[in-house]
Amino acid sequence: MSDIYDLVVIGGGPGGYVAAIRAAQLGQKVACVDKRETLGGTCLNVGCIPSKALLQSSHHLEMAKHDMAAHGVKTGRVTADLPTMMGRKDEVIHGLTQGIAFLFKKNKIDHFCGLGTIVASDTVAVSGDDGSKKELKTEHILIATGSESATLPGLDIDEKYIVTSTGALSLPKIPKKLVVIGAGVIGLELGSVWRRLGSEVTVVEYLDAILPGMDGEVRKRSKLLFAKQGLNFRLSTKVTGATVSNKKVMLSVEPVGEGDAEIINADVVLVAVGRLPCTQNLGLENVGVKLDEKGFVVVDGDFQTNVPGIFAIGDVIGGMMLAHKAEEEGVCLAEKLVGQKGHINYKAIPGVVYTHPEIAAVGRSEEGLKRDAIPYKVGKFPFGANARAKAMGDIDGFVKILAHKENDQILGAHIIGPGAGDLIAEIVLAMESDISAEDIARTCHSHPSLGEAVKEAALAVDKRAIHM
Ligand code: FAD
Ligand code: NAI
């Protein structure tokens, strides 16, 4: 016997579960299928949440070891207790994934655990691990199957010695030597975690700078700060293969330009070279859903695939591979399905790297504006001149606002420093509301607060910062 739904969502990550909740709020009968036992997708189970839990715990360790003494707090000998740290991380995941299960119940969403396969444009088959099979009939299907780690030729991922982010979030002991391939977001966040816990970390990056796509000034400053903390960088370096023997990894690398090949030895190698869309075993060929040349599901402005009634959102359609982007798309899609307008502004989606200092960005980089010949003004303010940052003893970094030269519209902002991930929200709101740098500059910010650095950067756009 089949159930009939208005919407069947395949994938219970931040895209899928948020779409399911919003659709249910709007009166739709909704089912969500995920092959994982717990909801929350990559983000809650093996992504955003576990990485942030470990970043927080390892940051406390770093503070206790190096920073608290300056505040007059004596700690004695401080050591890492990895099992407790990992246990705490698992509890955080458990609490949050159970929270989504509760929200599903509250919103009367049916949750099916199993592999979802599209059989026809109105039918999703669910195959459970226990061999059970079920067919769900539905008016609309939403593909929200997310992404998985990419790897490199010549590297066999075993999640023990050569690991993806998933393995790196659960290492059973602190590796003496960790090599990270890729100086992107995952490489820097998880590289920071293990360095703080005591690993000697080398980050191998193909390009000649870290954090591709970010503002050039932030890329330069962050590399200096991370190197000072003890991350070793091997830029412009290509990985050509790896072998594992006697519990060690021998990683073959060579310079991107001229130079000799060499072997780097490691206890663990983390491969963090980007993520690929999950479209395998999904039955897309049964209905002819179109993929682009990189394997992402092709959708139009309404998240509609080329097959009527089948939609897609989140990492599987590409763009910024971020949880909050997937969530916004989920809400927008659910609203469009019931005839509402829906809303998403891709120009105002922030990105945050949760290292210390944090790095946050929204909108255009200076390099991008130059490339497109858009006239702009820069307002910059260092945390070293912010009273709250001084009081905290956390003064590395700056706020940088880019505004249009003629009309003062905020085009982008880049923050490196304490609380960057939260401070950026004010600028995102400003961009979303289309208010100018002058408007932020004229807004009262509490004192002493890190937010005053945002106000001062906005004042600096007009060359009138007060405390600089
Ligand atoms: P996913 O979260 O990947 O969810 C897709 C779900 O679909 C999965 O649960 C999967 O099991 C399921 N699925 C796939 N195929 C099928 C099928 N055929 N049948 C049934 N189920 C299926 N983003 C941020 O914004 N902030 C961060 O701090 C952050 N940190 C990250 C840290 C790490 C280590 C990683 C790996 C990623 C991080 N991300 C972060 C990215 C973020 O996790 C993703 O952008 C986000 O999870 C994408 O959401 P999604 O719903 O599109 O897909
Ligand atoms: P990424 O795209 O951020 O970085 C990958 C890095 O690997 C790049 O610097 C790239 O130049 C490098 N690289 C690629 N091929 C290489 C090679 N052969 N040798 C050496 N270096 C190579 O991808 P990453 O870090 O894997 O993250 C994947 C996604 O997950 C990102 O899109 C990111 O948005 C998301 N994510 C977001 C987080 C956040 O918002 N805080 C945290 C972690 C992940």
Side-chain angles (χ1 to χ4, degrees):
M1 227 188 49
S2 301
D3 295 316
I4 299 179
Y5 290 95
D6 295 312
L7 176 66
V8 170
V9 182
I10 309 179
Y17 86 71
V18 168
I21 292 174
R22 185 69 188 117
Q25 283 176 345
L26 292 165
Q28 302 274 288
K29 182 170 165 56
V30 184
C32 180
V33 183
D34 200 301
K35 60 188 179 189
R36 265 197 185 92
E37 226 162 83
T38 47
L39 290 163
T42 304
C43 173
L44 267 64
N45 291 283
V46 289
C48 323
I49 301 307
S51 57
K52 266 77 263 181
L54 292 182
L55 277 157
Q56 191 62 46
S57 299
S58 60
H59 178 61
H60 287 316
L61 180 75
E62 182 103 329
M63 291 274 294
K65 275 188 175 169
H66 305 296
D67 301 330
M68 281 187 176
H71 289 266
V73 181
K74 289 195 177 167
T75 51
R77 199 171 102 83
V78 178
T79 54
D81 171 359
L82 191 62
T84 301
M85 219 175 257
M86 289 292 176
R88 178 187 172 277
K89 172 207 71 176
D90 292 340
E91 271 172 32
V92 173
I93 295 172
H94 180 74
L96 289 171
T97 54
Q98 291 312 298
I100 310 294
F102 164 78
L103 292 174
F104 269 25
K105 278 207 185 89
K106 183 180 156 197
N107 287 284
K108 301 191 172 47
I109 297 163
D110 291 338
H111 172 205
F112 294 94
C113 183
L115 183 76
T117 310
I118 302 174
V119 181
S121 64
D122 66 348
T123 313
V124 173
V126 186
S127 325
D129 274 351
D130 56 0
S132 62
K133 295 234 180 291
K134 196 169 174 63
E135 270 196 1
L136 310 176
K137 286 280 178 200
T138 180
E139 192 176 342
H140 300 119
I141 295 174
L142 175 59
I143 302 168
T145 48
S147 63
E148 61 198 1
S149 304
T151 185
L152 295 174
L155 261 62
D156 291 328
I157 305 285
D158 56 19
E159 295 297 7
K160 198 170 168 194
Y161 300 106
I162 303 181
V163 301
T164 64
S165 52
T166 301
L169 289 166
S170 292
L171 294 179
K173 63 178 198 197
I174 300 166
K176 236 173 139 218
K177 284 190 180 180
L178 172 72
V179 173
V180 178
I181 309 175
V185 196
I186 292 182
L188 293 172
E189 286 189 354
L190 295 183
S192 293
V193 165
W194 291 105
R195 181 201 59 73
R196 292 170 191 167
L197 296 181
S199 300
E200 183 188 322
V201 178
T202 301
V203 184
V204 177
E205 166 61 50
Y206 186 85
L207 301 174
D208 61 1
I210 70 172
L211 289 173
M214 289 241 170
D215 188 82
E217 216 173 340
V218 168
R219 295 173 80 182
K220 268 196 209 126
R221 175 70 70 91
S222 59
K223 179 174 171 264
L224 282 178
L225 291 171
F226 296 142
K228 207 167 117 195
Q229 292 169 2
L231 283 183
N232 305 305
F233 288 103
R234 298 285 303 265
L235 303 183
S236 306
T237 302
K238 187 160 63 175
V239 172
T240 53
T243 50
V244 180
S245 138
N246 289 332
K247 302 184 178 173
K248 296 269 176 218
V249 190
M250 278 148 292
L251 191 71
S252 311
V253 300
E254 58 187 50
V256 170
E258 297 285 291
D260 295 332
E262 65 174 299
I263 302 281
I264 306 179
N265 291 309
D267 298 291
V268 174
V269 168
L270 162 59
V271 186
V273 294
R275 292 180 62 81
L276 299 172
C278 287
T279 54
Q280 300 292 314
N281 306 318
L282 192 52
L284 297 186
E285 61 292 346
N286 296 334
V287 281
V289 168
K290 222 164 116 186
L291 305 180
D292 70 12
E293 65 287 353
K294 289 186 176 155
F296 292 101
V297 175
V298 177
V299 291
D300 66 12
D302 292 329
F303 307 106
Q304 165 81 61
T305 68
N306 60 311
V307 181
I310 303 186
F311 299 80
I313 55 162
D315 280 10
V316 78
I317 64 167
M320 291 171 104
M321 291 170 114
L322 295 173
H324 43 280
K325 174 258 192 191
E327 289 188 27
E328 293 299 316
E329 290 177 342
V331 169
C332 184
L333 178 271
E335 292 177 353
K336 280 174 186 276
L337 283 184
V338 296
Q340 295 186 3
K341 271 187 107 143
H343 157 267
I344 186 160
N345 178 1
Y346 287 106
K347 288 186 181 157
I349 294 186
V352 178
V353 190
Y354 293 86
T355 44
H356 189 85
E358 279 183 5
I359 301 167
V362 60
R364 305 298 307 266
S365 66
E366 225 181 312
E367 291 72 23
L369 294 174
K370 276 191 188 127
R371 199 174 45 241
D372 294 345
I374 297 171
Y376 65 94
K377 305 175 276 186
V378 184
K380 225 173 106 182
F381 190 80
F383 282 103
N386 173 270
R388 182 76 193 279
K390 279 265 201 208
M392 290 164 67
D394 210 349
I395 56 166
D396 284 330
F398 54 80
V399 178
K400 170 172 169 178
I401 295 178
L402 304 168
H404 198 284
K405 199 164 193 167
E406 277 125 38
N407 61 16
D408 202 36
Q409 181 192 30
I410 300 171
L411 303 169
H414 306 274
I415 308 179
I416 174 166
D422 292 308
L423 292 176
I424 200 79
E426 177 180 2
I427 301 171
V428 176
L429 181 63
M431 290 176 74
E432 190 65 58
S433 319
D434 211 9
I435 65 170
S436 63
E438 174 76 10
D439 292 316
I440 293 185
R442 288 193 177 277
T443 302
C444 181
H445 289 66
S446 49
H447 176 77
S449 69
L450 296 171
E452 286 176 297
V454 175
K455 177 186 169 92
E456 290 274 10
L459 283 163
V461 168
D462 193 38
K463 298 191 173 40
R464 56 189 171 95
I466 300 290
H467 294 91
M468 197 176 55

